[in-house]
Amino acid sequence: MHVIFLCPHFPANQRHFVRGLKEVGARVTGLCDARLENIDHEVRGMLDDYEYVPNIGNLDALTDGVRRIQQRGPWVHRFEATVESHMLHCAAVRERTKIPGTPWEVVERCRDKFLMKQFLRERGIPCARNAAVSTPEEAFAFAEEVGYPLILKPRDGAGASGTHKVVDEASLWAALREEGLDSRPRYFTMEEFIVGHEGFFDTLTVGGKVVFEAVCHYYPGVLEAMRTRDCSPQIVSTNRIDEPGYAEVRKLGRKVVGELGLQTSPTHMEWFYGPKGLSFSEIGARPPGCTVWDIYCQQNDLDLYTEWARAVCFGDVHHAASYRQAGGLVALRPDRDGLIRGYEGVEEAQRRHGQHIFKAVLPPLGSRTQPVEAGYLANAYVFVSHPDYDRCREILDDIGDLVKVRAG
């Protein structure tokens, strides 16, 4: 089995997908716009071949790179990507080069938030009202029709990047200016703002059948987490997935996966639950960000990267999730932008909770801080697991309160 894998070294967790492919015996050819000598030795050691392309954002260049690999052989069975911004080009190249995989039409529907919701709403999936907007005139027309508050975000965005909550005309104008829609047409969508608790539902599907699923919660919601310095936001994966309270979100998630025609693929679906009940937010035909699969591996006694590779290569999986533990991460924000000058509370957090911490990243002193909007893993963070979900949350809360990142 010969698999081309796009960008095998970056982001850093990409190497785990390559490792998974090697674990199941695949031949792996890396394809990227980094020179081979600039890729670290660990990743290079797992690759059987490598092809450099000058720009992976250029569809023709990417196609030419894949065709060169095909010409020198052996036969290419799969071409895979796991990063949101790579998915559509990867699907287009697969169709150009006759390599099996998730069709371009399906991937586009999972990338374009406007088309996605229109498609699912027609099939009875509860979604926020939305509209495609590319100019201020279109944005204000939707605001007049639906009323505030609203959400403005890129149609092909990932996470909360470029996403704005607008509460009135002034804040809508500010968001339009920040994203450049006041000066040129751009590819955005607007939707009604849904009040409620926010989480996500992830799967690994094989032949259209869900073989792994997980339900996670955001504390607080993503927009607040990505805009507020004075919180230590969490993502927490439950091990109570079989309890009746999760039946509705699991049913919704499985219906969405089925309606979209996702066959053998990871999926990442965001949802809201509030006064209007359960609502679909968006879905990607990819794994979640923030290395959340590392949490799933820890809590489920499972190497999900290898199971993904086995699904991609051979259409099956060997191990089921145990849900033995809950797991989660807490992001630790520097108190200001600048250079990291010190940490407080690390020793006490380790003393109290060390047996439940399975990964912690504390950038070295002198490291430049990253802005809050750069994400959950942009600065310091800690991963935790515990057999009891409530206790897992308490530990994450305590670490968030104890550990302070001082910058200046």
Side-chain angles (χ1 to χ4, degrees), residues 236-301:
V236 192
S237 177
T238 186
N239 59 339
R240 299 172 177 171
I241 193 167
D242 289 326
E243 292 191 359
Y246 288 108
E248 187 179 3
V249 74
R250 293 172 70 188
K251 181 179 179 181
L252 175 70
R254 286 168 174 258
K255 181 173 174 59
V256 168
V257 168
E259 292 290 355
L260 288 169
L262 288 156
Q263 291 295 305
T264 299
S265 174
T267 73
H268 174 63
M269 188 195 87
E270 308 270 350
W271 52 266
F272 285 94
Y273 189 85
K276 295 184 178 181
L278 182 64
S279 296
F280 168 84
S281 177
E282 59 190 60
I283 191 170
R286 58 167 177 83
C290 299
T291 67
V292 169
W293 269 22
D294 291 357
I295 297 174
Y296 298 159
C297 292
Q298 176 72 16
Q299 73 173 126
N300 289 296
D301 307 299

Side-chain angles (χ1 to χ4, degrees), residues 15 214 224 256 273 318:
R15 69 194 63 226
E224 182 179 349
V256 168
Y273 189 85
H318 284 184

Side-chain angles (χ1 to χ4, degrees), residues 194-247:
I194 296 180
V195 177
H197 178 65
E198 185 177 3
F200 55 91
F201 174 77
D202 290 344
T203 75
L204 177 62
T205 67
V206 179
K209 178 184 177 182
V210 173
V211 297
F212 169 84
E213 60 186 340
V215 178
C216 293
H217 300 267
Y218 290 114
Y219 302 103
V222 174
L223 270 182
E224 182 179 349
M226 299 287 273
R227 300 288 185 268
T228 308
R229 183 182 296 278
D230 58 354
C231 71
S232 297
Q234 302 172 17
I235 295 173
V236 192
S237 177
T238 186
N239 59 339
R240 299 172 177 171
I241 193 167
D242 289 326
E243 292 191 359
Y246 288 108

